[in-house]
Amino acid sequence: MLHCELEKHKDNLEQKVKEQTRDLQDMVERLQCNEEELSVQNEELRVKKEELIVQNEELEDLNLKLIEANRHKNFFLSTMSHELRTPLNAILGFSQSLSMQYFGMLNEKQIEYVNLINSSGSHLLDLINDILDIAKIDAGTVILNIESFCIHEIIEVVNSMIKTQYIAKNITCEYVIDSNISIIKADIRRFKQILINLLSNAHKYSLPNTTIKIEVSKVADNVIKISIIDSGIGIKKEDLKNMFLEFYQTDHTRDQALGGTGIGLALTKRLVLLHHGEIGVESELNKGSTFWFTLPIVDSSG
C-alpha cells in the first residue's frame, strides 16, 4: 500500500518536473527570441544615431554657411547702398536746382523732364534706404531709441506728411483711437516709418474717392493694436502668407506701375518685430484689406 502511494507520488513529481522543464525551455526560447529582437533594435538604433549625427553635422555646416552668406549679403547691400546714394544725392540736388530754375528758365517740357528725374530719383533713394535698413536689421546693428510720445500727435504728423498722396486720388483718412490710449513708448522715427509704409501701401491700392481708416485699440493691459483699413482691390487668399516677403508682388506689372517694390512691407515687419510686436493682414479680393500690427506699451492715460 505504501509502495503504491510512493510510486504515485513519484509519478506526480516527475510529471511536474517535466511540465516545469518544458515551461523553462519555452521561457529560455522566448528570451532568446527577445534577445535577438533587442539586438536587431539596438543595431537599428545605432544606425539611426549615426545618421542623426551626420545630419546634425550637415545642418550645423549649413547654418554656418547660411550665416556667412547673410553676412556677405548684408555687407554687399550696405556697401552698395552707400555707393549708390552718393551719386543719387548729387542727381537729386542738381534736379531740384534745375526745377527751381537757378541756372536759367526752363520750358514746360524741360520742367516736366526735370520733375520726372526728381520723382524717380526720390523713389529710388527711398528703395535704397529701405534695403539698407533691412540689411542693418538683419545684421543686428539697429538699436531702437525708445521714448514716450502722444500717439494722437504722431498719427496727425504722419497724415500731414502723406497728405499730397491722398489729394491726388481724393482719398480721406479717418482715425479712431481708444480713449484709454494716449502716451505710448516706442522708437518715434521707426513708429512713423511703420505707419507711413502701411498708409502708403493702403493708398496705392485704394480706389479714388474712398476712405482709409486708422483704428487704435487695446488688446491687453500693455499691448495696443493699430489697424490700417482700406476698401481697395484686396488680396487673394493664396497671396496673404507671402505679403511680408522681400520683393514679393502679387501682380508684378500692376504693382510696379503703382510704385510698389516689394520692400516696404518686409521692412515694416522687421521694424514691428524689433519692438517685440506682431504684424498681419486680413483681406478679401475686391473688398479691401486690413493691415494691423501690435506694440507692447508702457504708459497709457489713466
Side-chain angles (χ1 to χ4, degrees), residues 11-44:
D11 291 341
N12 289 335
L13 285 176
E14 286 179 348
Q15 183 64 30
K16 287 182 179 180
V17 168
K18 287 180 181 178
E19 290 175 355
Q20 289 179 355
T21 300
R22 189 165 53 249
D23 290 342
L24 185 60
Q25 287 175 342
D26 291 341
M27 187 179 296
V28 168
E29 289 176 0
R30 286 198 300 271
L31 284 173
Q32 287 175 342
C33 290
N34 288 337
E35 285 179 357
E36 290 177 1
E37 290 177 2
L38 186 60
S39 177
V40 171
Q41 290 174 354
N42 284 336
E43 178 62 20
E44 290 176 351

Side-chain angles (χ1 to χ4, degrees), residues 26-78:
D26 291 341
M27 187 179 296
V28 168
E29 289 176 0
R30 286 198 300 271
L31 284 173
Q32 287 175 342
C33 290
N34 288 337
E35 285 179 357
E36 290 177 1
E37 290 177 2
L38 186 60
S39 177
V40 171
Q41 290 174 354
N42 284 336
E43 178 62 20
E44 290 176 351
L45 285 173
R46 186 189 66 78
V47 172
K48 288 180 179 179
K49 183 179 179 181
E50 290 179 354
E51 290 176 352
L52 187 60
I53 290 172
V54 172
Q55 289 173 356
N56 282 333
E57 290 174 350
E58 291 176 353
L59 182 60
E60 185 177 351
D61 184 53
L62 186 60
N63 283 333
L64 291 174
K65 289 179 179 178
L66 186 59
I67 291 171
E68 185 66 12
N70 281 331
R71 188 180 69 81
H72 285 296
K73 180 199 74 173
N74 292 331
F75 176 76
F76 171 78
L77 289 175
S78 179

Side-chain angles (χ1 to χ4, degrees), residues 184-200:
I184 70 171
K185 281 192 174 182
D187 185 304
I188 294 181
R189 187 171 76 86
R190 298 303 187 179
F191 183 76
K192 287 180 181 177
Q193 200 172 0
I194 292 169
L195 279 182
I196 290 172
N197 284 348
L198 292 180
L199 285 170
S200 296

Side-chain angles (χ1 to χ4, degrees), residues 43 49 65 92 98 103-104 119 231 238 276 278 300:
E43 178 62 20
K49 183 179 179 181
K65 289 179 179 178
L92 288 173
L98 285 170
F103 308 113
S119 62
S231 54
E238 59 267 27
H276 304 292
E278 296 179 352
S300 61

Side-chain angles (χ1 to χ4, degrees), residues 81-132:
S81 295
H82 283 298
E83 293 296 325
L84 289 170
R85 283 198 300 181
T86 300
L88 187 55
N89 281 324
I91 293 171
L92 288 173
F94 281 115
S95 67
Q96 289 167 3
S97 296
L98 285 170
S99 66
M100 294 176 183
Q101 305 189 53
Y102 287 151
F103 308 113
M105 299 298 292
L106 302 177
N107 59 43
E108 289 185 7
K109 185 60 71 174
Q110 289 171 331
I111 292 174
E112 179 186 346
Y113 290 158
V114 168
N115 288 337
L116 181 60
I117 292 171
N118 195 46
S119 62
S120 298
S122 297
H123 179 68
L124 182 57
L125 184 60
D126 288 340
L127 175 59
I128 291 170
N129 287 335
D130 285 349
I131 292 174
L132 185 58

Side-chain angles (χ1 to χ4, degrees), residues 269-282:
K269 180 176 181 178
R270 284 168 167 79
L271 293 175
V272 171
L273 294 179
L274 272 180
H275 282 84
H276 304 292
E278 296 179 352
I279 190 168
V281 57
E282 299 160 7

